[in-house]
């Protein structure tokens, strides 16, 4: 069209240009101007010619293009006719949208969904001709189609019962939804598709459940190769996924088991066996089932390892329970639903003294009862049959109360029944003979206790954890003059305190009693108090907390005892004063006797050695007697003086190193005359390295001298007295042993008492101070004395001293020590 327009406008231009040239030439331009005009005219002619040629060429192309467009329009018209014919060939309609916001174009038979008289656009209201769920699904599919170009296919059932198929797809810039009626093969195909979808869903559900199962499951194809396994199978064969297990052909069973299963499948049989299978590197016991299936086969394995473990544990528990039941004192017998003995423990066999061989045969309940009745071990019954029938009714009862059986041999049994849910009964026999006896004794003791409390002169009151009086005796009410009505009301401690305060108004004591009764259990403490009453009586009160949270209060009238105590104290003070006076008297008398006696001994010694003149034989003999008697008297006075000093707590020890062998020799030297007279031999046993220890050497010599003197005095002529010294751990031990007549057991506790001398049938004479001195000096050194003796076997006196003085008593030296032994 544009070239033709150009030619149409080019012709006038050419004519105008020629006229202009001719005008300029006529106007008389000069030669140069003529040349220019001529050139311009020539150019215009050439341009007009070229424009005409272009116009002719464009016209030819336009005619050709117009013919092509006419042919294309005809083709499109034919296609539209064919499309309409295609749409009309089936009962269907189509909805076309031009873009996401374009208006829909509806073609086809909308009577599939709506009535013929209805406007076609109402077909887009899917809820008008579809159920709500299908309408909503179709709306969602259409929305996805228009927005994202996502195609869909959906089977529909309209309200009028017609089966329809909706299909949507994007074509260029348009989207098309076609709804058509399906019938015949197409309807059957749709139904088959629905069935296939349902079966596929069920198949997926079953496979999903099998994947969740802990039992390995597998299927085989027609070639007997694995075509599917579940997750448990994959884990059992150490595969990453079930597909990996199928691809690699990993078998769960060993070759022999697989071959046996294959033979069974070929024969059309189901193969079941219990096999040991290696699962995840661990050998486990499995119950395997392999069966032929249409198109192949399949199998499942059930892990029995845990079941076997549970069975083993159950067997161990049963065995343990049996051992436990055999250890308990309760007799247990279990009968099954047929009333036959299933189990009996050792206590049951011991209780009824039944033959084990008889029990192992599983006798019935009636047989056991008949045997026990024949042996007179059951309670005596006038109607034995009725009693046994009533007893056997427990097999049908839900609950049965326990029974008490009094056996002919004096025993009492408590029989309990436990009905088993599976049938049968468990008998439990407890020997309650001792319990019944104890209960009877307890009741008797309770009565005795009540009578005893009532007979007590002391007032007793028991308060509970709530502070109220629980128990009291008549003496309590009499002591505090409480009325019987108040006691009967079980009053609180506050009421009791208020009733007792007129006789004893000391608030502090009653506050302590209340705290002990009603205070916190952990803070309750027992205590004792003395109460001085307004009527002159004196009462001792004691509080003791009880384990149950209560408190026990006891009140004792000690008025007479207090009066006697006062009198005894006064008398004791008088006795102490008399004892001090006696000790002072003995001390001074001993001192006054010692000085003249020392003079007498000196003069006798002068007479004996002839310094003042010769004595005849008789005089020397008498002088010797006087000297010995004076020496003995001096020893007695010295002992009395030492004891008096000890009694006055004025004895002082001169502690130093004591050579043990030397002090033994010095003590033995003073006994040579007595040993010669008694014809007794002295044996000294002391190790060369016995060494020294810390003590008062003079008192050690005195101790050994008195022990040896005592042993020699009780020894017969020809016997041996032994003095042994030894070092043991942290002490020094001296042992003096004689073979004399010994000491009777009833006198052993008296030998250390003062002035106790038992010299019957012996040559020993004394006032009984030697062993008293020994014990006093040993105890002053912190040591101990032990005496062992038996009549006719002699005596052993053992003195043990601490090696370094121990806890010896060292008292300051007093000025009266001047009268001590020279």
């Amino acid at each position: 069209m544009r070239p033709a327009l150009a030619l149409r406008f080019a012709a006038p231009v050419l004519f105008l240009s020629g006229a202009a040239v001719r005008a300029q030439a006529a106007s008389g331009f000069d030669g140069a101007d003529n040349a220019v005009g001529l050139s311009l005219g020539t150019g215009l002619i050439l341009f007009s010619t070229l424009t005409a040629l272009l116009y002719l060429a464009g016209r030819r192309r336009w005619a050709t293009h117009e013919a092509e467009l006419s042919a294309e329009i005809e083709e499109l018209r034919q296609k539209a006719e064919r499309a309409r014919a295609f749409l009309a060939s089936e009962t269907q309609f189509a909805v076309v949208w031009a873009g996401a916001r374009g208006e829909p174009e509806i073609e086809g038979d909308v009577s599939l969904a709506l009535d013929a008289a209805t406007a076609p656009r109402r077909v887009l209201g899917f809820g008008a001709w579809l159920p709500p769920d299908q309408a909503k699904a179709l709306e969602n599919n259409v929305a996805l189609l228009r927005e994202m170009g996502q195609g869909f296919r959906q089977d529909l059932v309209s309200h009028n019962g017609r089966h329809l198929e909706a299909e949507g797809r994007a074509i260029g810039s348009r989207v098309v939804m076609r709804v058509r009626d399906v019938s015949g093969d197409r309807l059957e195909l749709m139904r088959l598709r629905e069935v296939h979808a349902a079966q596929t869903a069920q198949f997926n559900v079953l496979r999903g459940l099998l994947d969740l199962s802990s039992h390995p499951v597998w299927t085989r194809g027609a070639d007997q190769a694995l075509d599917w396994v579940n997750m448990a199978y994959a884990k059992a064969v150490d595969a990453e996924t079930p597909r990996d297990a199928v691809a690699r052909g990993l078998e769960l069973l060993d070759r022999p088991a697989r071959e046996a299963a294959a033979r069974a499948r070929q024969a059309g049989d189901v193969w079941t066996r219990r096999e040991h299978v290696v699962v995840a590197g661990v050998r486990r016991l499995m119950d395997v089932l392999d069966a032929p299936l249409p198109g192949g086969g399949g199998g499942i394995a059930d892990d029995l390892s845990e079941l076997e473990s549970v069975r083993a544990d159950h067997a161990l528990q049963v065995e343990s329970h049996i051992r436990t039941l055999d250890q308990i004192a309760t007799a247990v017998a279990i009968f099954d639903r047929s009333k036959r003995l299933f189990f009996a423990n050792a206590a049951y066999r011991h209780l009824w003294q039944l033959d084990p061989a008889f029990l192992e045969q599983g006798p019935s309940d009636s047989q056991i009862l008949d045997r026990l009745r024949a042996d007179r071990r059951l309670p005596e019954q006038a109607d034995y049959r009725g009693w046994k029938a009533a007893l056997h009714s427990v097999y049908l009862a839900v609950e049965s109360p326990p029974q008490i059986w009094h056996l002919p041999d004096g025993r009492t049994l408590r029989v309990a029944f436990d009905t088993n849910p599976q049938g049968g009964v468990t008998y439990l026999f407890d020997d309650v003979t001792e319990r019944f006896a104890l209960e009877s004794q307890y009741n008797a003791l309770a009565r005795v206790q009540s009578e005893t409390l009532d007979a007590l002169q002391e007032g007793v009151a028991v308060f509970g954890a709530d502070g109220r009086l629980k128990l009291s005796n008549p003496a309590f009410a009499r002591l505090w003059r409480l009325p019987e009505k108040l006691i009967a009301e079980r009053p609180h401690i506050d009421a009791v305190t208020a009733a007792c305060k007129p006789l004893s108004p000391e608030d502090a004591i009653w506050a302590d009693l209340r705290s002990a009764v009603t205070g916190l259990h952990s803070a309750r403490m027992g205590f004792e108090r003395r109460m001085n009453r307004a009527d002159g009586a004196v009462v001792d009160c004691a509080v003791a907390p009880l384990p149950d949270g209560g408190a026990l209060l006891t009140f004792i009238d000690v008025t007479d005892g207090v009066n006697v105590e006062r009198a005894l104290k006064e008398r004791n003070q008088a006795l102490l004063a008399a004892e001090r006076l006696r000790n002072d008297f003995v001390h001074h008398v001993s001192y006054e006797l010692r000085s003249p006696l020392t003079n007498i001994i000196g003069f006798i010694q002068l007479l004996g050695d002839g310094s003042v003149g010769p004595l005849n034989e008789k005089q020397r003999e008498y002088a010797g007697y006087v000297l010995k008697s004076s020496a003995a008297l001096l020893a007695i006075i010295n002992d009395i003086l030492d004891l008096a000093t000890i009694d006055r707590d004025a004895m002082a020890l001169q502690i130093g190193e004591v050579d043990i062998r030397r002090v033994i020799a010095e003590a033995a030297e003073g006994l040579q005359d007595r040993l010669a007279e008694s014809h007794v031999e002295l044996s000294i046993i002391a190790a060369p390295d016995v060494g020294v220890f810390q003590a008062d050497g003079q008192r050690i010599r005195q101790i050994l001298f008195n022990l040896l003197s005592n042993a020699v005095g009780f020894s017969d002529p020809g016997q041996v007295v032994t003095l042994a010294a030894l070092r043991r751990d942290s002490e020094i031990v001296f042992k003096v042993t004689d073979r004399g007549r010994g000491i009777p057991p009833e006198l052993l506790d008296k030998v250390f008492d003062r002035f106790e001398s038992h010299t019957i049938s012996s040559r020993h004479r004394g006032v009984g101070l030697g062993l008293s001195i020994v014990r006093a000096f040993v105890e002053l050194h912190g040591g101990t004395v032990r005496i062992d003796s038996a009549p006719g076997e002699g005596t052993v006196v053992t003195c043990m001293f601490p090696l370094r003085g121990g806890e010896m008593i060292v008292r300051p030296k007093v000025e009266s020590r001047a009268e001590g032994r020279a």
Side-chain angles (χ1 to χ4, degrees), residues 38 87 101 145 179 238 310 359 392 437 467 472 508 520 537 542 551 632 747 820:
L38 181 62
L87 286 175
R101 298 181 180 275
L145 175 64
V179 180
D238 293 331
V310 170
L359 295 178
H392 286 170
S472 65
L520 294 176
L747 299 179

Side-chain angles (χ1 to χ4, degrees), residues 657-728:
E657 285 192 354
V658 177
D659 189 328
I660 296 175
R661 294 179 61 85
R662 182 177 177 182
V663 76
I664 290 175
E666 292 175 353
E669 182 66 25
L671 287 171
Q672 294 303 320
D673 294 341
R674 188 172 298 185
L675 290 171
E677 278 184 25
S678 303
H679 302 287
V680 175
E681 182 180 352
L682 175 62
S683 175
I684 298 176
I685 301 174
D689 59 348
V690 70
V692 299
F693 75 110
Q694 298 290 325
D696 188 335
Q698 180 182 351
R699 300 308 177 189
I700 297 299
R701 282 195 303 272
Q702 192 173 352
I703 291 171
L704 297 179
F705 180 83
N706 286 339
L707 291 177
L708 291 174
S709 298
N710 191 69
V712 170
F714 284 96
S715 297
D716 295 332
Q719 292 184 339
V720 177
V721 174
T722 302
L723 171 59
L726 59 115
R727 185 181 296 269
R728 184 173 62 191

Side-chain angles (χ1 to χ4, degrees), residues 367-418:
Q367 291 175 338
I368 295 176
L369 291 176
D370 292 342
R371 174 167 292 195
L372 293 176
R373 180 171 180 266
D375 295 339
R376 297 195 72 251
R377 296 178 187 172
L378 289 180
E380 298 292 345
Q381 301 293 336
D383 184 7
Y384 171 70
R385 292 182 179 275
W387 177 81
K388 184 169 70 171
L391 180 64
H392 286 170
S393 64
V394 299
Y395 283 89
L396 302 177
V398 178
E399 291 184 2
S400 298
Q403 300 179 6
I404 301 298
W405 291 5
H406 299 282
L407 304 185
D409 57 2
R411 292 180 298 172
T412 302
L413 301 181
R414 180 183 182 275
V415 186
F417 311 95
D418 182 23

